[in-house]
């Protein structure tokens, strides 16, 4: 039981490049979330998926797209990376209650 | 105004003391309140949650909620150096299916 896994762990991109962050959970959770964490800002919700086949915008969705591929997997795509997207990205999941979330190890992304 | 406010710290306490972490929130309709702990370079992990006014105890941790004052706190008794971390307060959002996090309070327990 791996919990929530994320790939890659680290990534450096040049401005304008694209990439997809992968997230998978093996806990049979319904809801999945993507957050970014910047110094002094706490965790900010980018997108979430309450169930397979649905996605909704969070607080900071601009510049990102998501796909809920199946119940296990929820990916985050940066189509044209910008330096402002330099951050640590966390994926999380939970079965029903929004608060008891389980987090992945994070992806540290640097855009130069 | 941020929806969830925390003092960024650092809050420094000696080993064995009580650490008191505070959080205020703006949405009066919030129903669920959570405390996550995050060690440096790691992901957040849930340590406490509280839904009703009053106190909730779990081992060395006590969560306190006052909905009238829109205030939630976390007390850590007999603080240990291993408690040194950032503590994130989280509150369920407007429609109850999203969390809003505070920026976190850095706690340092000195031996």
């Amino acid at each position: 039981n791996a919990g929530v896994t994320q790939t890659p762990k680290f990534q450096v991109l040049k401005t304008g490049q694209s990439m997809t962050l992968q997230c998978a959970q093996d806990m049979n959770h319904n809801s999945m979330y993507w957050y970014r964490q910047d110094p002094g800002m706490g965790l900010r919700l980018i997108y979430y998926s309450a169930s397979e086949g649905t996605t909704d915008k969070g607080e900071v969705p601009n510049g990102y797209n998501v796909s809920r591929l199946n119940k296990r997997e929820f990916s985050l795509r940066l189509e044209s990376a910008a330096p402002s997207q330099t951050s640590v990205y966390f994926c999380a999941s939970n079965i029903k209650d929004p608060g008891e979330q389980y987090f992945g190890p994070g992806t540290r992304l640097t855009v130069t | 105004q941020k929806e969830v406010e925390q003092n960024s710290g650092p809050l420094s306490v000696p080993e064995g003391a009580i650490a008191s972490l505070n959080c205020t929130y703006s949405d009066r309709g919030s129903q669920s309140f959570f405390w996550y702990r995050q060690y440096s370079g790691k992901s957040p992990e849930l340590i406490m949650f509280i839904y009703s006014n009053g106190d909730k105890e779990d081992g060395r941790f006590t969560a306190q909620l006052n909905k009238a004052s829109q205030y939630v706190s976390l007390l850590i008794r007999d603080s240990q150096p291993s408690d040194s971390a950032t503590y994130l307060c989280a509150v369920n959002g407007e429609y109850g299916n999203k969390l809003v996090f505070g920026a976190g309070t850095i706690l340092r327990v000195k031996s």
Side-chain angles (χ1 to χ4, degrees), chain A residues 44-64:
Chain A
R44 291 184 292 169
L45 183 65
I46 305 171
Y47 271 95
Y48 70 101
S49 171
S51 62
E52 185 179 354
T54 68
T55 60
D56 284 287
K57 294 178 181 179
E59 181 186 354
V60 288
N62 291 344
Y64 305 95

Side-chain angles (χ1 to χ4, degrees), chain A residues 68-80:
Chain A
R68 183 74 183 267
L69 304 170
N70 48 55
K71 191 170 186 178
R72 291 186 63 249
E73 298 172 289
F74 189 37
S75 63
L76 178 72
R77 183 161 178 83
L78 287 70
E79 291 290 352
S80 179

Side-chain angles (χ1 to χ4, degrees), chain B residues 10-79:
Chain B
L11 172 67
S12 293
V13 300
E15 183 175 357
I18 296 175
S20 177
L21 305 162
N22 304 314
C23 172
T24 58
Y25 60 95
S26 61
D27 182 2
R28 285 196 170 274
S30 298
Q31 298 294 319
S32 310
F33 306 87
F34 306 85
W35 285 99
Y36 284 78
R37 177 177 63 199
Q38 186 176 24
Y39 292 114
S40 181
K42 301 296 185 182
S43 55
E45 58 178 331
L46 180 70
I47 55 171
M48 287 287 288
F49 59 90
I50 186 167
Y51 300 150
S52 304
N53 275 330
D55 295 359
K56 179 182 178 183
E57 187 174 318
D58 183 1
R60 295 187 296 113
F61 298 100
T62 298
Q64 299 176 316
L65 175 61
N66 184 326
K67 289 186 178 181
S69 300
Q70 296 176 246
Y71 177 93
V72 59
S73 64
L74 178 70
L75 302 178
I76 306 175
R77 290 182 300 282
D78 188 25
S79 295

Side-chain angles (χ1 to χ4, degrees), chain A residues 19-33:
Chain A
M19 78 163 295
T20 299
L21 282 65
Q22 306 287 354
C23 173
Q25 52 90 9
D26 62 3
M27 297 175 283
N28 201 35
H29 286 172
N30 293 318
S31 302
M32 298 185 74
Y33 308 81

